Amino acid sequence: MIELAFAAGALLFTAVSLLWLLSLFLHDAGIVDVFWGPGFVAVFWLTFVLAPHTAVPRQWLLGLLVTLWGLRLAAHIARRNWGQGEDFRYARWRQEAGPSWWWRSYFKVFLLQGALLWLISLPLIAVNTVGGPPLGWLDGTAVLFWLVGFLLEAGGDWQLARFRSDPANRGQLLSSGLWRYTRHPNYFGDAVQWWAFFLFALAAGAWWTMVSPLVMTILLRRVSGVAMLERTLQQTKPGYAAYMARTNAFFPGPQARENGHWETNR
């Protein structure tokens, strides 16, 4: 495990360092977001190749699902960001840091994302390390979790992209489809998929890798996902406060009635 984790760390350190150099040339730190999904794919297949035993079905199955998740996410982010300039988060940090951004970005953006990527990838490394027993009910549950999460994430992204592509919706708020039941179906679906990846690791005996989905869920719900995005949306999107009042933040659920009494901001 230690050897594979070290190899994954070396791969990620090299990758994010090269991306940082490229970002200086492009004046765009947002390229690191495109690497997020493929970074996990690279970690999985590197540790798969370096694993000290013959591959078992669990590894092949997990590798397929991680690859589908990671490459779809990268394609979505690249298509969404193409020609749009630097993401508002990095643009704001660049402005705040001034001339020192060129080196601060290496630590604040690239090394930080590389470290998080390494930590969150622990279930992938663990499965490739131990393989585990034959496929069982936990693996079946993991596949079901992954499918639900993938459909929520990909479906939410697709609905939002289609909504934004219609000029008639400029400045409007998407509150139908999956977005009727949660303000962030894509983030919730992403988290569910990482719980699925953990279940594969749990089936292989690596219960301690629960830190991975916990960190991913906290990031999506409290740090770089919902919390950061909604601070901006409340200031820029008309009607967003009312949407927040009736629609769950993260976990899908029915919309609250205007005079309802149940909590919706979950």
Side-chain angles (χ1 to χ4, degrees), residues 23-249:
S23 77
L24 298 181
F25 175 76
L26 297 175
H27 300 283
D28 186 355
I31 60 174
V32 73
D33 292 339
V34 180
F35 175 71
W36 182 251
F40 291 105
V41 177
V43 165
F44 179 86
W45 291 110
L46 173 69
T47 54
F48 178 93
V49 170
L50 297 178
H53 56 79
T54 303
V56 299
R58 178 174 295 105
Q59 290 173 263
W60 288 107
L61 180 57
L62 178 57
L64 171 64
L65 300 185
V66 169
T67 301
L68 288 174
W69 167 80
L71 296 186
R72 188 216 69 87
L73 181 62
H76 167 72
I77 293 175
R79 183 169 55 249
R80 182 192 65 192
N81 293 353
W82 185 261
Q84 300 300 312
E86 190 172 46
D87 183 276
F88 74 92
R89 299 166 297 169
Y90 305 120
R92 183 174 67 244
W93 290 345
R94 180 186 298 275
Q95 183 179 23
E96 291 171 352
S100 63
W101 175 246
W102 73 272
W103 65 267
R104 288 179 182 270
S105 64
Y106 183 54
F107 297 95
K108 188 172 184 177
V109 177
F110 292 88
L111 282 185
L112 176 60
Q113 289 225 24
L116 288 171
L117 207 157
W118 179 85
L119 178 64
I120 294 168
S121 68
L122 287 179
L124 316 183
I125 301 172
V127 169
N128 279 332
T129 299
V130 300
L135 295 175
W137 68 270
L138 268 177
D139 301 284
T141 304
V143 171
L144 181 61
F145 267 54
W146 181 87
L147 182 60
V148 170
F150 186 82
L151 291 176
L152 283 170
E153 183 181 28
D157 285 339
W158 177 77
Q159 289 178 352
L160 184 59
R162 185 181 63 169
F163 181 84
R164 288 175 171 173
S165 67
D166 186 347
N169 293 327
R170 184 177 298 277
Q172 301 300 308
L173 182 66
L174 174 60
S175 58
S176 59
L178 295 173
W179 300 81
R180 173 180 175 83
Y181 304 101
T182 165
R183 303 199 297 272
H184 302 278
N186 46 359
Y187 290 155
F188 178 76
D190 199 334
V192 171
Q193 287 173 91
W194 277 97
W195 283 100
F197 299 152
F198 160 70
L199 288 178
F200 282 113
L202 181 62
W207 58 267
W208 49 269
T209 62
M210 183 183 287
V211 65
S212 164
L214 284 174
V215 169
M216 179 64 90
T217 303
I218 291 170
L219 286 174
L220 290 169
R221 179 66 180 91
R222 299 293 183 184
V223 184
S224 62
V226 173
M228 182 178 290
L229 181 59
E230 293 207 327
R231 282 195 295 268
T232 300
L233 290 174
Q234 291 180 68
Q235 298 172 3
T236 62
K237 187 70 68 174
Y240 200 78
Y243 178 56
M244 291 178 66
R246 68 176 184 269
T247 310
N248 289 355

